[in-house]
């Protein structure tokens, strides 16, 4: 055992206890009722950073939830790594599907996590993951081994699209200035096959409202003679994909960066079993855009999905009604080169054109963001690659993810620095779902791997 492993071994229980404290506060950003808990969590994060010896710890007030900043600047000639994370979490609903309380963290064993996993909302996304950095830095500061400068930016609005962060990073551009950005808020293939997330999808998110008559009508008196907005909306939505599951919005694919054959071959090397995949989510057959594999469909191809649809009568029993309104929330995951504003515009134009004269359609855009690709030849990626190889004893596979962290492409625009996505979660960790968890193996392996990143990055930086 080296000194790092010994340090982790000695302080294991305390690390878990400290994370538990953070997990006990329900910092749900989507619901304004939780403002006090958000404020409390920001304070907990700030005090955790103070305790490990960070300087200039402060809560930056924004239009929305506070951003926690801290740093340890040891020498301005050395490179600076900015660690980004988010202390806000998704709502815990549906509550009745949780096997233990979402905000009362508990350790349980699972097939995939025989060494135990922490079950709680935010365990993996993202409290458990950014906390690995806090503990890795604790080790480096305590043992006097910090090789470079570090800064923390832990925000509280990631799960609602980071509405205040753009203004904040522009206002505090100097404060957050960095040479590379490090984020643990994604996943890896498995505990025996590490991977580094090399891509994130962008997002365009819209809400549509279809209005027919000015009020709900008796479906006997009026049914058949007046357009039903739910029928119409369903038809309009169905028209957004063709028989090959391609999106029919004109111009939608114009800017899509197509993968080269070599890239596709590279991607196909990642271990993946369709049967296991189908079984894990209880489907009998996969589905998606013709001509692409499941891994491609869920990472490097753009998509359009209805996230929710409602209208009319949904109470008990049967009520005969021809509804006045129908609604849907629709998200489009975007890939490199697609511009979210342009896509929202194309969607709007096309969707309006699908509407018959018998209804009116209103479209409201929500948050969006561009996709991001980490350059594999960057020193940040190389440093991460070396770090994983050392602690997992096997080289990590680069793997683009289908998820989004919209702020990442903005970081690139504002700071001109690359983002390295060192995620230690697993796809099966149920983030955003009931029974979210984070493996203890993953938590401690993360704490062990992160310090090597700092060392390799600093060395590569000096030689570049
Ligand atoms: N940490 C996730 C994103 C993620 C998870 C990316 C796993 C890759 C692998 C993040 O907290 C998240 O949930 N992002 C949202 C977008 C946001 C605008 C609400 C998403 O991807 O749906
Ligand atoms: Mn996250
Ligand atoms: Mn999330």
């Amino acid at each position: 055992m080296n000194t790092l492993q010994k340090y982790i071994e000695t302080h294991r229980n305390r690390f878990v206890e400290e994370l538990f404290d953070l997990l006990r506060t329900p910092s749900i950003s989507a619901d304004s009722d939780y403002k006090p808990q958000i404020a409390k969590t920001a304070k907990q994060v700030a005090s955790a950073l103070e305790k490990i010896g960070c300087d200039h710890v402060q809560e930056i007030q924004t239009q929305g939830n506070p951003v926690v900043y801290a740093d340890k600047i040891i020498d301005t000639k050395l490179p600076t790594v900015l660690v980004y994370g988010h202390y806000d979490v998704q709502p815990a609903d549906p509550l009745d599907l949780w096997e233990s309380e979402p905000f009362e963290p508990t350790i349980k064993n699972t097939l995939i996590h025989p060494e135990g996993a922490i079950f709680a909302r935010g365990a993996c996304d993202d409290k458990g993951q950014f906390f690995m950095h806090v503990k890795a830095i604790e080790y480096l500061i305590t043992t006097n081994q910090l090789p470079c400068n570090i800064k923390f930016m832990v925000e509280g609005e990631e799960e609602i699209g980071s509405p205040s962060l753009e203004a904040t990073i522009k206002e505090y551009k100097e404060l957050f200035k960095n040479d590379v950005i490090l984020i643990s808020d994604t996943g890896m293939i498995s505990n025996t096959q590490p991977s580094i997330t090399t891509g994130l999808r962008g997002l365009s998110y819209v809400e549509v409202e279809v209005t027919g008559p000015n009020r709900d009508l008796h479906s006997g008196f009026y049914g058949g003679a007046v357009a039903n907005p739910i029928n119409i909306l369903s038809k309009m939505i169905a028209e957004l994909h063709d028989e090959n599951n391609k999106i029919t919005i004109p111009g939608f694919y114009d800017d899509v960066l197509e993968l080269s054959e070599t890239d596709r071959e590279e991607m196909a090397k990642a271990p993946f079993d369709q049967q296991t995949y189908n079984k894990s989510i209880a489907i009998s057959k996969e589905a998606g855009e013709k001509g692409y594999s499941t891994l491609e469909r869920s990472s490097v191809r753009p998509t359009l999905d209805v996230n929710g649809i409602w209208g009319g009568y949904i109470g008990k029993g049967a009520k005969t009604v021809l509804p006045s309104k129908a609604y849907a929330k629709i998200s489009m995951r975007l890939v490199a080169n697609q511009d979210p504003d342009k896509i929202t515009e194309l969607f709007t134009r096309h969707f309006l054109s699908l509407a018959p004269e018998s209804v009116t359609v209103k479209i409201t855009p929500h948050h969006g963001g561009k996709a991001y690709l980490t350059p594999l030849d960057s020193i940040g990626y190389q440093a991460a690659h070396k770090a994983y190889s050392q602690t997992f004893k096997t080289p990590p596979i680069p793997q683009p993810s289908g998820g989004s962290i919209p702020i990442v492409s903005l970081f690139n625009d504002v700071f001109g620095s690359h983002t390295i996505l060192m995620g230690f979660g697993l796809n099966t960790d149920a983030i955003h779902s009931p029974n979210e968890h984070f493996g203890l193996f993953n938590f401690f392996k993360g704490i062990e791997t992160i310090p090597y990143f700092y060392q390799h990055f600093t060395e590569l930086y000096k030689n570049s």
Side-chain angles (χ1 to χ4, degrees), residues 86 125 158-159 161 185-186 200 333 367 401 403-404 406 431-432:
H86 63 93
D125 185 13
E158 197 278 339
E159 298 292 7
D185 192 23
T186 56
L200 292 167
R333 295 277 174 175
H367 51 67
S401 163
S404 308
I431 64 168
H432 294 208

Side-chain angles (χ1 to χ4, degrees), residues 55-311:
D55 304 318
H56 306 114
V57 182
Q58 55 172 298
E59 276 181 50
I60 299 176
Q61 299 308 324
T62 72
Q63 296 277 7
N65 299 336
V67 172
V68 181
Y69 173 86
D71 65 29
K72 190 86 197 170
I73 309 293
I74 52 168
D75 182 348
T76 50
K77 287 189 288 296
L78 288 168
T80 302
V81 180
L82 174 71
V83 175
Y84 163 90
H86 63 93
Y87 64 79
D88 65 320
V89 300
Q90 286 276 331
D93 317 70
L95 287 175
D96 51 321
L97 293 183
W98 282 80
E99 280 157 25
S100 56
E101 290 299 310
F103 297 105
E104 192 38 70
T106 352
I107 294 175
K108 281 181 281 191
N109 295 343
T110 71
L111 276 178
I112 292 177
H113 295 293
E115 296 164 49
I118 302 168
F119 281 74
R121 172 55 87 230
C124 180
D125 185 13
D126 177 43
K127 287 173 175 172
Q129 293 222 62
F130 86 71
F131 201 66
M132 298 180 310
H133 291 266
V134 181
K135 294 299 106 180
I137 299 293
E138 171 189 311
Y139 164 76
L140 289 172
I141 293 179
T142 314
T143 56
N144 247 315
Q145 295 187 72
L146 192 64
C148 59
N149 305 312
I150 50 127
K151 294 179 175 177
F152 276 94
M153 176 200 287
V154 190
E155 71 146 318
E157 299 187 318
E158 197 278 339
E159 298 292 7
I160 52 169
S162 307
S164 318
L165 201 57
E166 177 166 359
T168 308
I169 61 174
K170 286 183 175 162
E171 186 179 341
Y172 294 88
K173 197 178 160 187
E174 264 315 296
L175 185 69
F176 288 120
K177 203 167 157 287
N178 62 76
D179 296 291
V180 72
I181 296 160
L182 188 56
I183 304 181
S184 294
D185 192 23
T186 56
M188 56 176 193
I189 294 174
S190 76
N191 287 356
T192 47
Q193 179 53 69
S195 58
I196 300 176
T197 304
T198 50
L200 292 167
R201 283 197 282 196
L203 192 63
S204 158
Y205 201 116
V206 294
E207 186 162 330
V208 301
E209 179 190 294
V210 178
T211 308
N214 63 357
R215 62 204 151 87
D216 289 3
L217 303 174
H218 189 290
S219 65
F221 297 159
Y222 290 97
V226 175
N228 179 323
I230 301 183
N231 295 12
I232 304 270
L233 175 60
S234 312
K235 183 155 180 257
M236 290 167 75
I237 288 170
E239 283 182 66
L240 295 173
H241 288 95
D242 70 11
E243 67 283 3
N244 293 324
N245 273 317
K246 294 236 179 251
I247 295 153
T248 53
I249 301 169
F252 185 86
Y253 292 99
D254 281 3
D255 302 325
V256 166
L257 185 82
E258 294 285 341
L259 247 57
S260 67
E261 274 315 307
T262 353
D263 286 351
R264 294 186 73 178
E265 279 161 25
E266 221 24 65
M267 263 193 88
K269 284 186 190 156
F272 177 80
D273 179 55
Q274 189 67 57
Q275 245 53 55
T276 315
Y277 179 93
N278 292 3
K279 220 176 136 199
S280 76
I281 49 173
I283 55 167
S284 7
K285 183 80 190 142
E286 68 281 9
E289 187 184 358
K290 196 177 171 188
Y292 295 92
S293 69
T294 295
L295 276 181
E296 291 169 340
R297 287 168 176 170
S298 59
S299 63
V300 294
R301 297 299 298 166
T303 63
L304 184 152
D305 276 296
V306 178
N307 297 255
I309 182 162
W310 70 105

